[in-house]
Amino acid sequence: MNDEPAGAAYRIEDLAHRSGATVRTIRAYQDRGLLPRPERRGRANVYADTHLTRLRQIADLLDRGYTLASIKELMEAWDTGRGLGGVLGLAAEVDGPWTDEKAVRISRAELVERFGGAPDEAAVADAVELGVLEQVPGDEDLFLVPSPQELAVAVELHAAGVPLSAIAGHLRELRGQVEHIAARFLEFTTEHVFARYIGQHQPPTEADTVEAATLVRRLRPLAQQTVDAELARAMRLFATRQLRRHLDSEAPDEPAEESCSVRIPASTIRAVEKLVGPAQVPAFITAAAEREVQSRTLDTLTANAHRSNKIDQSP
């Protein structure tokens, strides 16, 4: 509830106290044009509720990762009537939770019990590093669990016999692959959906940001739904293939193809997509790599043969 009276007037020290900013920061914002100059009443500078609101808006945007330069552009857009509410709404939609999970707290004793009763400080350190656990400030025996579902998966895997160090290593590998998928999905939707709203060289209009926020809300679950469907398809395919190989002793062994993830610049991926289309990118990159390996192998064989000829021709 807002406890400031209408038409309130503040000294700079009062404004600093109410906003949480320092006097020095307020003056710096004024010098940079982020904050309107105060009203001069006699020998005193007087600030109003509009200054307090502006300081809170700046703090909110800084928390969301905006730079002071970009905040200044947004504030200028607001001052010229183009609106800031839509931008804040869009930022809130993007920065808000992307899952329905609720974080829970767990004690060190509960954690040890769920993982078999034997303390493992190295595993706890790994979990904190990975963000599976977050240390609660002021209590070394209490942790916040951002994703109870992720912790439950680790518990089940450990109960099935998977070492905690292997679980942590698998999560690191999986996280890199999932972050690549997320980056590609965002590039895809930005190019085909959001560029028309936020791709201009000026702050978007109020209507643009409101519509973009609505689209974020609609499209947010699509990446997870796609990954869920594709993961289910791939798990069924490979699990069935592996089960048949183990059960059917007469079936010829299929050569197991190992795969690994390689980070490729997004610009390279886009260039390949233009050449062969998005669906053919993996095949093209694989073929290009194989051709390079074959070419180097041929060069090596040719060079070896050339050296052998020289040796044979020596007196």
Side-chain angles (χ1 to χ4, degrees), residues 154-187:
V155 170
E156 290 296 329
L157 288 173
H158 184 256
V162 183
L164 289 174
S165 58
I167 294 173
H170 176 71
L171 179 57
R172 285 189 179 92
E173 180 183 355
L174 181 65
R175 183 165 292 177
Q177 295 168 344
V178 170
E179 286 177 355
H180 174 71
I181 293 171
R184 291 292 299 120
F185 188 83
L186 287 174
E187 288 171 3

Side-chain angles (χ1 to χ4, degrees), residues 48-254:
D49 286 335
T50 54
H51 294 90
L52 182 59
T53 299
R54 176 61 57 90
L55 285 171
R56 288 172 175 171
Q57 288 172 338
I58 293 172
D60 182 56
L61 289 168
L62 286 172
D63 287 343
R64 298 179 189 279
Y66 288 84
T67 64
L68 287 176
S70 60
I71 292 173
K72 183 178 180 181
E73 289 185 6
L74 291 171
M75 295 303 176
E76 288 173 350
W78 168 260
D79 291 338
T80 56
R82 279 184 282 164
L84 182 61
V87 173
L88 295 177
L90 176 59
E93 200 64 52
V94 172
D95 290 346
W98 285 61
T99 175
D100 294 332
E101 281 195 279
K102 302 296 182 184
V104 299
R105 293 191 173 198
I106 188 171
S107 68
R108 190 179 294 270
E110 291 171 325
L111 197 61
V112 169
E113 182 181 357
R114 292 187 68 180
F115 283 94
D120 189 333
E121 291 305 314
V124 171
D126 275 343
V128 171
E129 179 193 347
L130 288 164
V132 176
L133 299 175
E134 295 179 5
Q135 188 82 56
V136 174
D139 191 339
E140 63 179 15
D141 291 324
L142 190 62
F143 300 92
L144 184 71
V145 184
S147 173
Q149 179 175 294
E150 192 168 49
L151 183 65
V153 169
V155 170
E156 290 296 329
L157 288 173
H158 184 256
V162 183
L164 289 174
S165 58
I167 294 173
H170 176 71
L171 179 57
R172 285 189 179 92
E173 180 183 355
L174 181 65
R175 183 165 292 177
Q177 295 168 344
V178 170
E179 286 177 355
H180 174 71
I181 293 171
R184 291 292 299 120
F185 188 83
L186 287 174
E187 288 171 3
F188 169 77
T189 52
T190 298
E191 178 183 355
H192 295 285
V193 179
F194 294 107
R196 72 178 77 106
Y197 301 106
I198 58 177
Q200 298 88 358
H201 296 291
Q202 59 182 3
T205 65
E206 181 83 2
D208 285 342
T209 52
V210 169
E211 188 166 355
T214 301
L215 282 169
V216 169
R217 198 176 308 119
R218 283 175 48 200
L219 300 181
R220 185 157 48 188
L222 298 188
Q224 183 172 345
Q225 290 170 5
T226 303
V227 171
D228 286 347
E230 284 299 308
L231 180 60
R233 180 197 62 80
M235 288 296 296
R236 181 176 182 274
L237 174 66
F238 289 108
T240 301
R241 183 180 298 173
Q242 187 167 350
L243 180 62
R244 287 174 181 168
R245 186 165 60 247
H246 285 288
L247 294 182
D248 190 352
S249 58
E250 297 181 358
D253 289 337
E254 296 181 14

